[in-house]
Amino acid sequence: MLGTVLLLLALARTACPSPASGASRRAEALKKLLEVFGMEDPPAPPTHFKQPPQYMVDLFNTVANADGVTKNPDILEGNTVRSFLDKTHSEEMRFLFVLSSVAKNEKILTAELHLFRLWPRVTDGPKRHHFCRVSVYQVLEKDKPDAPGGKKLLAARLVSLQTSGWEVFAITPAVRDWTEDESSNQGLLVTIQGPGGSPLDSPPLQFASGRGHHESKKPMLVLFTDDGRRGASLPTAAFPGGLPAKMPVPKLGRSRSTRSLDRIQPCQRHPLSVDFEEIGWSGWIISPRGYNAFHCKGSCPFPLGENMRPTNHATVQSIINALRLSEGVSTPCCVPDKLYSINLLYFDDDENVVLKQYDDMVAGGCGCH
């Protein structure tokens, strides 16, 4: 995948004989680059300034460094995290999340309902409670959820009335039903009862709803999914110690002496900055603004030293080439021998925030193969 990205970036930047052919070539390169990121067209930027959910920003910062390179490949379950805000904007505890942006090939691994618990109402007297029972139901009958068979219990637990903050409920079975049959999505119902399940005339516990509360506290559905996309079989890992600062892309049209120097330089890694603003994607990508993909360049002369990290096959090929034991056998090539994944945090076409991990996007090391 990294090799494809580098080629497409070169095509997008290379000057062409005519403006028309140059624009066509750039458009074709960017279209292919979108395919690398699993998209047909770039999502439209949000119509107005929109703050991404803090949970998604924090998750990105936990998974990736400032350049988007994965710190630890085992943090995420799957390679995609999608967030959806409630579409009902109701004062009642009914929530509806539109999942049309979930691709058919995405496997639902975990689904969570995130509700922000407000500071409880102050109540006095003998009926004062320290806990409430919160239950989350999948609505089966839209107009009669309280009728027999009108809802199905997904999660229930006691919630403290002493603090405020986020509560997370696992609702994976409901979301799997909805993605298999979109018409079955009648939303969720949340009820609040006394510790023993007794009804409350005036529940002391409240969750932030779509109206009258800051957008950062709105009810949210978070999906952890996997689309089955995987990279090459090269070793992948977290980048040790983070990436160095971005470096400018080397300019085209280098002198003959510079090119000759490249041929005698040993195989090593060089910087290659990918700037999403330069590509024209900064309107929908939240983070990172770009990343250092790196590329491999240099010679693999005989004899190959351990510092060139040669494979056994490359060592044999180098010997055959040096001794001219067979015609048409070239020297080994300087290529990536370790690849890292990157993470993008972005707005999709429905202005939902998505965190997606892409394999094989950064050259972590170079060797003679």
Side-chain angles (χ1 to χ4, degrees):
M1 184 180 287
L2 175 63
T4 304
V5 172
L6 301 186
L7 176 61
L8 295 174
L9 288 171
L11 287 172
R13 286 172 171 143
T14 302
C16 295
S18 70
S21 61
S24 174
R25 196 173 188 184
R26 176 183 171 85
E28 182 181 1
L30 292 180
K31 182 178 180 181
K32 292 293 184 182
L33 191 58
L34 278 170
E35 292 178 6
V36 171
F37 287 97
M39 303 175 186
E40 293 184 4
D41 298 296
T47 54
H48 61 279
F49 176 77
K50 196 168 185 179
Q51 194 74 29
Q54 190 61 43
Y55 173 83
M56 297 297 288
V57 175
D58 292 343
L59 184 59
F60 174 86
N61 291 331
T62 300
V63 170
N65 66 16
D67 284 300
V69 180
T70 304
K71 295 179 186 177
N72 185 336
D74 299 323
I75 292 179
L76 281 188
E77 184 183 7
N79 60 9
T80 308
V81 185
R82 297 182 178 274
S83 63
F84 303 85
L85 296 181
D86 171 47
K87 296 298 183 182
T88 61
H89 307 299
S90 170
E91 293 292 345
E92 300 178 1
M93 299 300 285
R94 290 281 296 269
F95 306 110
L96 181 66
F97 302 95
V98 178
L99 307 181
S100 55
S101 58
V102 179
K104 295 295 184 184
N105 64 325
E106 282 186 60
K107 181 180 180 181
I108 307 296
L109 303 175
T110 302
E112 299 175 343
L113 174 65
H114 291 223
L115 298 176
F116 188 82
R117 185 177 72 256
L118 301 171
W119 283 102
R121 296 190 184 101
V122 178
T123 57
D124 297 315
K127 293 186 177 181
R128 181 176 181 181
H129 297 291
H130 296 286
F131 293 90
C132 278
R133 179 180 174 85
V134 177
S135 302
V136 180
Y137 294 90
Q138 177 182 354
V139 176
L140 303 178
E141 296 290 339
K142 180 179 179 181
D143 299 324
K144 296 181 291 184
D146 292 324
K151 61 181 183 293
K152 180 171 68 174
L153 181 65
L154 298 171
R157 69 166 179 269
L158 294 179
V159 174
S160 172
L161 297 176
Q162 307 303 312
T163 59
S164 69
W166 287 98
E167 294 288 341
V168 178
F169 301 89
I171 58 167
T172 308
V175 174
R176 285 177 177 163
D177 288 347
W178 299 340
T179 53
E180 291 174 6
D181 180 9
E182 189 175 341
S183 64
S184 69
N185 184 359
Q186 303 298 325
L188 300 169
L189 171 67
V190 176
T191 64
I192 302 172
Q193 299 170 308
S198 58
L200 296 173
D201 295 332
S202 180
L205 176 66
Q206 280 189 310
F207 290 107
S209 61
R211 293 182 181 179
H213 298 106
H214 193 272
E215 188 162 329
S216 64
K217 296 180 174 61
K218 285 185 176 179
M220 180 172 63
L221 174 65
V222 177
L223 302 187
F224 294 83
T225 71
D226 195 294
D227 62 9
R229 289 164 55 94
R230 289 294 178 270
S233 58
L234 289 181
T236 59
F239 202 104
L243 286 174
K246 295 185 184 72
M247 298 182 67
V249 179
K251 294 183 179 179
L252 300 173
R254 297 168 298 161
S255 66
R256 182 178 301 175
S257 61
T258 302
R259 293 195 295 270
S260 299
L261 184 62
D262 287 344
R263 285 195 289 270
I264 63 175
Q265 288 283 343
C267 175
Q268 57 188 302
R269 195 176 64 156
H270 297 266
L272 177 61
S273 176
V274 179
D275 189 329
F276 292 131
E277 184 172 359
E278 179 186 353
I279 296 173
W281 292 359
S282 60
W284 55 276
I285 293 181
I286 301 166
S287 194
R289 290 303 179 187
Y291 72 100
N292 202 334
F294 292 99
H295 68 114
C296 297
K297 182 174 62 175
S299 62
C300 294
F302 175 83
L304 296 178
E306 290 186 6
N307 63 316
M308 295 184 182
R309 300 148 69 109
T311 60
N312 289 338
H313 180 273
T315 300
V316 172
Q317 180 176 331
S318 177
I319 294 171
I320 298 297
N321 171 267
L323 299 181
R324 304 181 186 279
L325 299 179
S326 180
E327 292 186 5
V329 177
S330 61
T331 59
C333 297
C334 179
V335 295
D337 60 2
K338 184 184 293 183
L339 296 168
Y340 301 135
S341 60
I342 68 165
N343 302 266
L344 290 189
L345 188 68
Y346 64 90
F347 290 104
D348 67 12
D349 282 320
D350 296 327
E351 299 187 7
N352 299 312
V353 175
V354 180
L355 170 60
K356 199 167 185 68
Q357 194 168 92
Y358 298 91
D359 291 340
D360 301 350
M361 299 297 286
V362 174
C366 300
C368 292
H369 289 204

